[in-house]
Amino acid sequence: MRVVIVTESFPPDVNGVAHCALQTARHLVDRGHHPLVVAPAPAPGTSPDTDAPCPVVRIPSLPLPGYPQVRVALPSRRLAAALVAHRPDVVHLASPFVLGARGMAAAARLGLPAVAVYQTDLAGYARTYMGAGEAAAWRRIRSVHAAADRTLAPSSAALGDLETHGVPRVRLWPRGVDTVRFRPDRRDETLRRELAPNGELIVGYVGRLAPEKHVELLAGVCALDGVRLVVVGDGPSHAHLTEALPGAVFLGRRTGDDLARIFASLDVFAHTGPFETFCQTVQEAMASGVPVVAPAVGGPLDLVDHGRTGLLVPPRDAEAVQGAVRSLAEDPARRIGFGAAARTLVEGRTWAAVGDRLIGHYEDVLAGRRTAVAA
């Protein structure tokens, strides 16, 4: 099968869309298929696509104003040319909004089947950054996804949101996790002593440091006796958070085995973002055998089994976050039990298993097209 993956983000970018697009391309190659990636060009001076498993066509881009880590593709003939040259059986649109919308339009003009993957709560971002614009964001989402043969939602909450806002032909497709890289035996006592020299309990956050993540809700965790907060990631809120989270250790952006070692060395993982359509870092923490505290909204509702693998708290409630962390800090046996159960729960959620489900969606769409032609 020949597939063009049109994605709003791709490595060296570090985010959920980029990671999922990379894993999808890798799995397609592993299964003998032939993917091509079309993505915005990274920032000047960034490393080339040396780790990409397939060819990558880069579209000229500009940084998003106020958030330079995000690149927005400019209009370009390279997209349509790539579709024509690759002759895909199906076009995969990863979190389509700007480049993906153009990809959808080009696929429609060429009569190509398209599968759109919903990954970003754009309406929530509009509310956070502009204080309004949710209705316009949903109109954009509905317009793009309605043209797809199938839309894939990462969680039951996201699926419900899409259907409520009139997006047709939605199916569930969750995300995988690298259970070989992220595993409990990567726990590093030397690293733990560096992060918490007085033997504090280590609570970690991993993700973008941006307003929509509401990382400032962890301020109460910093105030707990015997607890050290460790923050991994970068973004426009970094300077603000160094003031809002006194005593926290900021490690910057980490990836690969280094990130896996940090995850496994935590005692508790805490996530605060209320706009997660899935929340990959929660799943990576669970694979690392770490109990999770997360908001009871969006993607974490599917991931965290409350009272078994972690604790779900009301979204945007700093006191609830602090209380959940305190309860786990005071009960080592409960932490260990939650962590072991979390690892067991995600062991079957490998990228290979999830990737095969994606190929099944492609095959369903192609079969539907053939049926329509025959009729």
Side-chain angles (χ1 to χ4, degrees), residues 82-95:
L83 290 176
V84 171
H86 195 66
R87 296 176 289 107
D89 298 293
V90 64
V91 178
H92 173 121
L93 303 159
S95 195

Side-chain angles (χ1 to χ4, degrees), residues 119-121 123-125 127-128 211-214 272-278 297-298 316:
Q119 287 184 249
T120 305
D121 182 0
Y125 284 15
R127 183 166 62 249
T128 297
E212 75 273 8
K213 299 296 184 179
H214 291 280
T272 51
F275 304 123
E276 302 299 320
T277 60
F278 185 74
V297 66
R316 308 191 202 196

Side-chain angles (χ1 to χ4, degrees), residues 3-370:
V3 181
V4 170
I5 301 170
V6 182
T7 177
E8 303 290 342
S9 185
F10 197 70
D13 297 347
V14 179
N15 56 60
V17 174
H19 182 68
C20 185
L22 174 63
Q23 293 295 340
T24 297
R26 283 177 175 168
H27 184 72
L28 289 171
V29 170
D30 289 345
R31 290 291 188 259
H33 300 290
H34 304 282
L36 169 75
V37 171
V38 180
T46 306
S47 301
D49 301 303
T50 53
D51 295 329
C54 65
V56 180
V57 173
R58 291 291 188 171
I59 306 299
S61 69
L62 290 175
L64 185 69
Y67 201 156
Q69 293 90 342
V70 176
R71 306 288 298 187
V72 179
L74 297 170
S76 172
R77 295 179 180 177
R78 294 182 190 177
L79 171 58
L83 290 176
V84 171
H86 195 66
R87 296 176 289 107
D89 298 293
V90 64
V91 178
H92 173 121
L93 303 159
S95 195
F97 193 66
V98 178
L99 181 59
R102 297 176 194 140
M104 183 72 78
R109 287 195 302 270
L110 296 168
L112 298 171
V115 173
V117 179
Y118 177 73
Q119 287 184 249
T120 305
D121 182 0
L122 295 168
Y125 284 15
R127 183 166 62 249
T128 297
Y129 285 96
M130 297 182 290
E134 291 176 75
W138 273 114
R139 283 195 298 272
R140 175 74 166 182
I141 293 166
R142 186 165 52 247
S143 173
V144 173
H145 285 266
D149 292 74
R150 178 169 294 187
T151 286
L152 301 179
S155 63
S156 56
L159 188 150
D161 284 344
L162 290 165
E163 291 184 335
T164 297
H165 287 88
V167 176
R169 300 179 295 281
V170 185
R171 301 290 186 275
L172 183 65
W173 181 57
R175 302 293 175 265
V177 63
D178 187 341
T179 55
V180 174
R181 168 165 283 166
F182 296 99
R183 60 180 194 266
D185 64 5
R186 288 189 180 271
R187 191 174 180 87
D188 187 327
E189 293 302 327
T190 299
L191 174 62
R192 286 178 53 79
R193 286 192 293 272
E194 292 173 359
L195 297 175
N198 297 315
E200 297 95 336
L201 182 105
I202 302 175
V203 177
Y205 167 85
V206 178
R208 289 198 311 278
L209 306 185
E212 75 273 8
K213 299 296 184 179
H214 291 280
V215 186
E216 70 280 356
L217 294 174
L218 296 173
V221 173
C222 295
L224 293 173
D225 290 337
V227 171
R228 174 59 55 88
L229 178 66
V230 173
V231 177
V232 179
D234 197 6
S237 296
H238 180 269
H240 163 68
L241 290 171
T242 57
E243 296 181 3
L245 304 175
V249 177
F250 287 81
L251 297 180
R253 192 177 76 173
R254 301 297 180 93
T255 60
D257 290 343
D258 186 26
L259 177 61
R261 185 171 62 108
I262 294 169
F263 262 121
S265 299
L266 302 176
D267 295 299
V268 176
F269 179 76
H271 194 85
T272 51
F275 304 123
E276 302 299 320
T277 60
F278 185 74
C279 202
Q280 184 65 17
T281 55
V282 163
Q283 195 164 238
E284 289 168 349
M286 293 172 68
S288 304
V290 178
V292 171
V293 173
V297 66
L301 290 171
D302 283 358
L303 297 175
V304 181
D305 187 348
H306 180 73
R308 179 175 168 234
T309 65
L311 298 173
L312 293 170
V313 299
R316 308 191 202 196
D317 188 332
E319 289 186 6
V321 172
Q322 183 190 50
V325 170
R326 180 191 294 112
S327 71
L328 291 174
E330 295 172 349
D331 194 339
R334 196 181 189 203
R335 288 200 310 274
I336 293 170
F338 280 9
R343 171 68 190 189
T344 299
L345 191 63
V346 302
E347 282 181 338
R349 300 178 186 172
T350 64
W351 277 109
V354 170
D356 285 344
R357 290 178 63 177
L358 176 63
I359 293 170
H361 286 295
Y362 292 165
E363 292 171 344
D364 286 349
V365 164
L366 293 175
R369 283 280 184 125
R370 288 192 294 267

